[in-house]
Amino acid sequence: MKFYFSLIIVFILLKILRKNNLFFFYFILGSVSSFLIMLYFGGDEFEILLKHIISFFMYHLTLYIPRASVLEDYFLINISLKDGSAMSWIIDYECTGIVEMLVFYSLLLFYPIKDIFYKTKYFIMGTIYLITANILRMFVILFSVLKFGENIFYFSHVILARIVFFILVIILYYNVFTKKHVRQQLVGDLYDNK
Amino acid sequence: MIINKTITILMYWISWLIIPLAIEFSTNLISGFFLIIKKIRYKTRNRKLDFYPLVSILIPVYNSESTLMQCLNSVASQNYPQNKMEVFLLNNQKTRGDSFKIFDTFKENNPNINIWWYDTSSGKAKALNLGILSSKGEYIINIDSDGWLDKNALKSLIIKFKSDSKISALTGVILIDPNYIKDTKNIFLKLLQKCESFEYLESFLIGRNFNSIFNSMYTLAGACSAFKRESLMQTQLYNFETVGEDTHMTFQIRDFTKGKILLAEETFFFVDPIESVDKLYAQRQRWQKGQMEVAKLFSKFHIGKFFDFFTKFPVRLLINDHTLVFPRLIWIFGMIFLYFKGYPTKILVFSNVFLYLMYVFISFFNFFIAYIYLEKQHITKKFLSKNVLIVFLLPIHRFINYWIRIAGIINSAYVNEKWDNISYKEEFKIFFNSIDKLYRKEFDKTIYKIKKEILDE
């Protein structure tokens, strides 16, 4: 009940901000609240869905990699190491990249781009891109463990794969937000602003 | 094992800040190393001038009655022959005000200096263009009327121009005049001004100084910049369509002359500190809007594919100033998310403290390097070393500027007319008035309903 009440308050505030052309506060309140709403309404379900999608792709892709396999229903990745031992890791909420996806959605929703078609297009493409980036991140870990053994797992998981993912996300943000913003930036009257 | 686990959880969300921090940290270490070497090498250079060329000094005048005299006096007291300089006061306000009297007095007191008054009343860019076309000097120097030149400024600029024939334009080092900060009574404003002093020091003597080594300076400071006449004449002069006319000029010079744009590290220009948070809010947003506009006008420098990140410095800068701003928001979103997930508060606090201390370290390191370049600026040196503990506030100052930057980005997408951004106080006022109105409207409705019900009964 409290939640729905605050939802109404947020909605009213957004309307007021928008009406008075207070764009900055509108953007911040809009993106933060939409993130929380998405998290509240579908966070867990979305997380499970993402786990299924990622383990589905991981399962099919690892079919071609010797010494690695995925238990699709348990979101579990198994690797047999060179020394004969085995290790496994679970696709947890971090691996799904759910935070990054919801943040992307909430920013896209409220970023000052008037083109609805553009937003819809990048909502879909961004989703596909982020899932792919996530799978790539998993493969960075997988390959580094296959190549260098269990000891590398920690480093790879915490640092290397993060950097790869970070770069990929920056590329997405640069293309979706920065480039678009520069293209639609209005300057003076003499220039072609289309 | 416990440490490992902690770091793992920590890295989950903090990587969005750790990676930019690590980039900044390493860039600062590298730049510090380069700048120390540069300083050592620079000492051996010849710093004498055999011939004094004619220099035109352009000063746009706008609401500057209180500071104009000091500015003009600083020009008169240069260790540069007075008959080798001409000064243009370019009035771009509708009335002449007291500035004209100041001009008159100055002209009487300094008969050796050629000084002219022009009325333009159509913005800074157009005023400067008029000055450029009216002047005859081999070198053209623009300074703001709300600051003053160091005694050695002109001479050091010309020496720097003469040191390399490929130099097209130079920017002076802009510093905050410590004397003005002393007069500030409001303690918070005073702290803000002190932070700003350190920020300027870092921005010029670290940022632009390092960029100069690789000829990758993004903006010539409008408050004090110098051009070779022949370079300026190859451009389309100052653009009056954008609020970032300084950056626009920098890109024109880069594009049309292919010459070098460097920092004159021995030319100092002192300005007033910021007068209020409101002014800071408007100023930083204007800078951000200027950057976005110039990015649009010079898209070929700013828009690129993946590998352009390594070859085009404006792409790198735009990623830092625009793209990275949003993943940094993830940190705040991430914190909310982790709070929902029952994440230990201790770790959240610890990681924030860690980040804070790292930024303090960066600021301190930069201060140390910049200090070496201050050389004979004894008053500034004394002021800065006395207030060195301000570095502990700099991360907060950065954080405030970060939010204003987002405001600048968002607002620049909507507002097209010439910069008339309202202050944050006004924004709050509008917001609360609206809520008040809404509340009153609802209140009136309810009262009306109740009245009606009573009447019906």
Side-chain angles (χ1 to χ4, degrees):
Chain A
M1 190 60 206
K2 263 184 196 170
F3 182 80
Y4 290 102
F5 185 67
S6 45
L7 207 70
I8 293 165
I9 298 262
V10 167
F11 188 73
I12 292 170
L13 288 181
L14 278 175
K15 262 205 120 165
I16 291 174
L17 291 169
R18 180 76 202 185
K19 203 179 145 198
N20 288 299
N21 296 345
L22 301 171
F23 306 116
F24 166 55
F25 300 102
Y26 173 77
F27 170 73
I28 294 293
L29 181 71
S31 46
V32 172
S33 53
S34 60
F35 173 75
L36 291 176
I37 290 163
M38 281 192 272
L39 210 63
Y40 186 89
F41 275 121
D44 295 335
E45 287 82 358
F46 189 48
E47 190 187 312
I48 292 164
L49 177 73
L50 282 172
K51 276 182 183 172
H52 276 292
I53 293 171
I54 288 171
S55 46
F56 171 80
F57 280 107
M58 287 300 284
Y59 172 78
H60 286 279
L61 289 167
T62 46
L63 288 177
Y64 307 99
I65 301 168
R67 299 200 282 122
S69 61
V70 171
L71 286 174
E72 204 186 327
D73 295 337
Y74 298 96
F75 315 127
L76 199 70
I77 299 167
N78 292 314
I79 305 167
S80 20
L81 298 162
K82 279 178 186 167
D83 59 9
S85 64
M87 70 164 291
S88 57
W89 94 86
I90 294 174
I91 301 169
D92 59 4
Y93 73 86
E94 184 198 337
C95 298
T96 58
I98 182 170
V99 186
E100 287 86 352
M101 289 182 91
L102 292 186
V103 166
F104 177 73
Y105 295 152
S106 44
L107 288 177
L108 189 68
L109 210 59
F110 283 90
Y111 197 85
I113 297 169
K114 281 159 206 155
D115 191 347
I116 298 294
F117 176 72
Y118 182 90
K119 284 198 178 185
T120 322
K121 182 181 148 195
Y122 279 97
F123 180 81
I124 298 161
M125 282 176 69
T127 308
I128 297 166
Y129 182 92
L130 283 171
I131 290 174
T132 317
N134 235 318
I135 291 169
L136 221 85
R137 166 163 77 173
M138 310 283 262
F139 269 94
V140 170
I141 305 169
L142 187 69
F143 280 122
S144 53
V145 171
L146 282 173
K147 180 86 181 148
F148 301 104
E150 196 180 356
N151 293 335
I152 199 79
F153 176 76
Y154 173 73
F155 169 80
S156 182
H157 187 258
V158 173
I159 295 165
L160 189 68
R162 289 226 145 262
I163 292 174
V164 171
F165 187 68
F166 182 83
I167 294 168
L168 290 172
V169 173
I170 292 300
I171 293 171
L172 176 74
Y173 276 58
Y174 177 72
N175 281 296
V176 176
F177 299 117
T178 309
K179 271 192 187 175
K180 178 71 181 171
H181 190 123
V182 170
R183 287 204 183 106
Q184 69 167 24
Q185 180 66 47
L186 300 169
V187 191
D189 332 303
L190 288 176
Y191 295 87
D192 179 19
N193 280 318
K194 278 170 193 169
Chain B
M1 190 59 200
I2 293 167
I3 296 169
N4 273 1
K5 205 181 164 193
T6 313
I7 295 173
T8 313
I9 320 174
L10 209 76
M11 278 304 286
Y12 166 52
W13 70 277
I14 211 175
S15 64
W16 293 102
L17 286 179
I18 279 282
I19 296 171
L21 176 76
I23 296 166
E24 202 167 330
F25 191 73
S26 47
T27 321
N28 275 288
L29 285 187
I30 294 165
S31 66
F33 172 74
F34 270 96
L35 290 173
I36 289 172
I37 291 179
K38 185 181 169 183
K39 185 71 196 163
I40 294 166
R41 282 178 62 189
Y42 194 75
K43 274 195 170 163
T44 57
R45 263 195 217 160
N46 179 21
R47 286 193 248 179
K48 276 185 185 159
L49 212 56
D50 308 321
F51 167 71
Y52 290 88
L54 181 68
V55 175
S56 306
I57 301 165
L58 313 182
I59 310 174
V61 176
Y62 192 86
N63 290 341
S64 45
E65 287 84 3
S66 56
T67 51
L68 187 62
M69 200 47 161
Q70 191 186 16
C71 175
L72 289 173
N73 284 336
S74 78
V75 173
S77 55
Q78 288 295 304
N79 58 358
Y80 199 87
Q82 291 197 340
N83 60 348
K84 290 289 182 186
M85 52 169 111
E86 52 175 10
V87 183
F88 290 83
L89 292 186
L90 309 159
N91 177 37
N92 60 74
Q93 53 194 358
K94 287 206 172 81
T95 54
R96 287 180 167 183
D98 287 335
S99 302
F100 191 78
K101 283 180 201 154
I102 295 167
F103 157 77
D104 230 16
T105 320
F106 181 81
K107 198 175 159 76
E108 251 173 53
N109 297 341
N110 298 276
N112 293 336
I113 299 179
N114 266 329
I115 178 162
W116 314 91
W117 175 279
Y118 281 74
D119 284 316
T120 60
S121 74
S122 47
K124 191 180 171 185
K126 282 184 185 171
L128 283 170
N129 289 344
L130 179 72
I132 293 165
L133 295 173
S134 313
S135 64
K136 291 194 286 289
E138 194 181 325
Y139 296 97
I140 293 168
I141 295 165
N142 304 334
I143 57 171
D144 275 358
S145 54
D146 60 353
W148 55 275
L149 281 166
D150 175 52
K151 198 180 166 209
N152 198 32
L154 276 195
K155 198 174 172 183
S156 59
L157 272 175
I158 305 304
I159 291 172
K160 183 83 182 178
F161 268 119
K162 297 274 180 200
S163 71
D164 186 347
S165 61
K166 283 180 190 153
I167 297 176
S168 290
L170 290 172
T171 183
V173 178
I174 316 293
L175 294 177
I176 306 283
D177 185 349
N179 293 317
Y180 288 118
I181 299 179
K182 277 178 199 156
D183 301 338
T184 309
K185 294 207 171 72
N186 183 328
I187 183 89
F188 290 108
L189 184 61
K190 202 168 188 162
L191 285 174
L192 177 70
Q193 292 177 339
K194 285 180 178 176
C195 285
E196 204 196 7
S197 306
F198 279 81
E199 190 198 7
Y200 272 49
L201 185 81
E202 201 173 287
S203 162
F204 283 89
L205 289 173
I206 302 294
R208 283 182 174 78
N209 205 357
F210 180 59
N211 291 338
S212 266
I213 300 175
F214 302 99
N215 189 23
S216 59
M217 197 191 295
Y218 193 78
T219 303
L220 286 160
C224 175
S225 46
F227 306 88
K228 246 185 215 169
R229 171 175 289 278
E230 55 179 89
S231 305
L232 213 44
M233 285 306 154
Q234 287 176 53
T235 66
Q236 299 163 348
L237 301 188
Y238 278 99
N239 181 299
F240 42 84
E241 305 249 279
T242 162
V243 291
E245 76 272 355
D246 311 325
T247 314
H248 189 269
M249 177 52 86
T250 316
F251 273 92
Q252 284 197 69
I253 298 263
R254 192 175 296 288
D255 199 15
F256 299 140
T257 74
K258 313 283 182 226
K260 286 183 185 171
I261 300 162
L262 306 181
L263 176 86
E265 44 303 71
E266 290 189 326
T267 306
F268 292 93
F269 186 77
F270 293 89
V271 294
D272 286 6
I274 201 93
E275 295 113 317
S276 62
V277 181
D278 250 349
K279 285 265 163 65
L280 182 84
Y281 186 68
Q283 180 199 49
R284 298 302 156 106
Q285 284 200 62
R286 191 176 64 237
W287 289 359
Q288 190 60 46
K289 182 179 161 72
Q291 183 182 21
M292 298 316 291
E293 288 182 345
V294 174
K296 164 79 187 237
L297 296 176
F298 283 93
S299 299
K300 65 171 177 179
F301 287 94
H302 291 83
I303 296 295
K305 296 248 162 6
F306 180 70
F307 284 105
D308 289 325
F309 176 81
F310 301 100
T311 53
K312 292 181 183 172
F313 76 88
V315 172
R316 287 199 293 275
L317 200 94
L318 202 60
I319 286 178
N320 185 51
D321 290 353
H322 186 276
T323 317
L324 274 175
V325 161
F326 298 104
R328 275 180 184 176
L329 268 178
I330 287 177
W331 161 59
I332 294 151
F333 288 127
M335 273 218 267
I336 304 165
F337 179 73
L338 292 170
Y339 179 76
F340 275 94
K341 283 269 171 191
Y343 200 71
T345 325
K346 259 186 193 172
I347 291 178
L348 285 178
V349 174
F350 170 77
S351 20
N352 276 307
V353 170
F354 171 74
L355 275 171
Y356 166 75
L357 289 176
M358 287 299 280
Y359 277 110
V360 168
F361 177 79
I362 289 177
S363 302
F364 191 76
F365 180 76
N366 283 341
F367 166 72
F368 173 72
I369 304 289
Y371 193 82
I372 309 172
Y373 276 86
L374 279 174
E375 276 201 7
K376 287 172 195 160
Q377 301 304 321
H378 300 300
I379 298 172
T380 310
K381 274 169 108 169
K382 201 177 153 192
F383 168 79
L384 291 171
S385 41
K386 204 177 140 193
N387 289 291
V388 70
L389 289 180
I390 288 291
V391 290
F392 284 97
L393 289 181
L394 288 182
I396 300 165
H397 185 248
R398 270 168 188 256
F399 192 66
I400 295 168
N401 285 339
Y402 162 78
W403 285 99
I404 303 179
R405 186 184 286 281
I406 302 182
I409 292 171
I410 300 302
N411 288 334
S412 76
Y414 290 103
V415 190
N416 184 33
E417 56 266 30
K418 280 281 172 199
W419 195 252
D420 56 349
N421 192 39
I422 47 172
S423 69
Y424 77 94
K425 274 183 195 157
E426 283 171 66
E427 287 183 336
F428 278 131
K429 216 172 151 187
I430 293 172
F431 178 63
F432 288 118
N433 278 347
S434 299
I435 290 182
D436 194 43
K437 247 191 226 165
L438 187 87
Y439 173 75
R440 272 170 205 280
K441 210 169 140 192
E442 291 302 315
F443 186 74
D444 287 348
K445 261 190 202 166
T446 326
I447 293 285
Y448 177 74
K449 265 186 197 166
I450 295 170
K451 268 185 185 172
K452 208 181 165 193
E453 273 171 25
I454 293 170
L455 283 175
D456 285 349
E457 275 173 16

